[in-house]
Amino acid sequence: MDTEISIDLGRLDPEGETIEGEADIIDLDEEFVKPFGGVRYRLHAQLVGDELLVTGHLEQDFDLVCSRCGKDFDTTIVVDDFTESYPVDEKSREIVLTSDARDSIILNLPSYPVCEESCPGIAADVRQPVDGRWAALDGLITKKGNENG
Ligand SMILES: [Zn+2]
């Protein structure tokens, strides 16, 4: 897989052109944020005066950890409005978009990812005994309550 997203100005259609592909550009290696596959991109590049205007769509799959329940889940971070412009002159040969594309994906990562909006978090499991000994204790408490009542 490519490790850069770049536009070859020598081959760019003067009318503008759409480039598509997949590039492995997210080098995060965090315990709770794991990218997998590459960034899929579909970008339109066009020279406007002495600037190259690039707009379009980026997406990247991640394995994240839910901030409520702590479980892993897969999600796709989508950037639908990527927009950057780059100054060009007669010496410019290639415009590299890699770091801008990477930044816009990372900026769209949620600060508090949730596996689903309705995720109740770990609180919902509090009544479930995690250990058999707790279950026994629960039984004692119930019994005692019945004797008193
Ligand atoms: Zn969750």
Side-chain angles (χ1 to χ4, degrees), residues 18-91:
T18 298
I19 60 161
E20 288 183 77
E22 187 170 354
D24 186 8
I25 61 170
I26 310 285
D27 51 4
L28 279 179
D29 187 22
E30 302 285 335
E31 191 181 350
F32 298 126
V33 183
K34 293 193 178 78
F36 60 94
V39 170
R40 296 180 293 279
Y41 59 89
R42 183 181 166 84
L43 299 168
H44 185 76
Q46 185 162 14
L47 281 167
V48 180
D50 53 3
E51 293 197 329
L52 180 73
L53 183 65
V54 182
T55 56
H57 178 100
L58 306 164
E59 58 182 58
Q60 168 77 52
D61 295 326
F62 283 92
D63 182 11
L64 300 179
V65 173
C66 177
S67 60
R68 290 187 200 158
C69 68
K71 289 184 187 130
D72 287 24
F73 67 102
D74 293 346
T75 192
T76 303
I77 300 299
V78 175
V79 176
D80 246 335
D81 55 355
F82 180 81
T83 305
E84 288 290 339
S85 64
Y86 302 87
V88 293
D89 59 31
E90 64 276 7
K91 285 175 288 188

Side-chain angles (χ1 to χ4, degrees), residues 66 68-70 114-116 119:
C66 177
R68 290 187 200 158
C69 68
V114 286
C115 59
E116 50 185 302
C119 175

Side-chain angles (χ1 to χ4, degrees), residues 97-117:
L97 314 175
T98 309
S99 62
D100 291 324
R102 177 187 185 277
D103 288 353
S104 57
I105 290 281
I106 289 173
L107 286 171
N108 274 274
L109 279 165
S111 310
Y112 297 99
V114 286
C115 59
E116 50 185 302
E117 276 310 313

